[in-house]
Amino acid sequence: MKAYELLYFVDPTATDEVRAGVMKRIEGALAENGKVDNVDNWGKRKLAYEVDKLTEGDYTLIDFHADPAQIAELDRVLRIMDAVKRHMIVRRTDRD
């Protein structure tokens, strides 16, 4: 398994239930061949530019290990979730 980092943000007015649902969906996508190492909630941050008429986002950073084949599935899941406005998955070679 390889080390990865996922950074995403949701609408800052979203409820705690929505945020928990996003985390549950991510953990479900990683359940077969992955493991979440650390979840760091950054909280509300100002965006550099407006995204979907939002000027702020509620950021979350997740460090995890997964098989490279799982990354495409995780990306697909994040793309179809309405709550996740933007996301980025990066491979961390320093943590393998």
Side-chain angles (χ1 to χ4, degrees), residues 5-86:
E5 185 175 87
L6 165 65
L7 179 65
Y8 69 90
F9 77 89
V10 297
D11 187 343
T13 60
T15 64
D16 289 337
E17 294 171 354
V18 171
R19 289 187 192 100
V22 169
M23 263 315 291
K24 187 172 183 173
R25 195 79 191 268
I26 290 170
E27 289 174 350
L30 293 172
E32 271 185 42
N33 297 320
K35 183 185 92 152
V36 175
D37 297 327
N38 186 30
V39 177
D40 189 12
N41 187 4
W42 287 4
K44 292 180 185 178
R45 303 275 174 121
K46 185 170 172 56
L47 301 176
Y49 55 90
E50 207 171 274
V51 175
D52 292 340
K53 299 183 181 178
L54 296 174
T55 58
E56 286 186 331
D58 191 355
Y59 283 85
T60 304
L61 177 70
I62 301 173
D63 294 320
F64 64 97
H65 281 79
D67 288 332
Q70 290 297 108
I71 300 304
E73 174 63 17
L74 179 60
D75 189 48
R76 185 191 71 78
V77 167
L78 288 166
R79 285 180 192 265
I80 62 174
M81 293 180 68
D82 291 335
V84 176
K85 299 301 180 185
R86 294 283 192 275

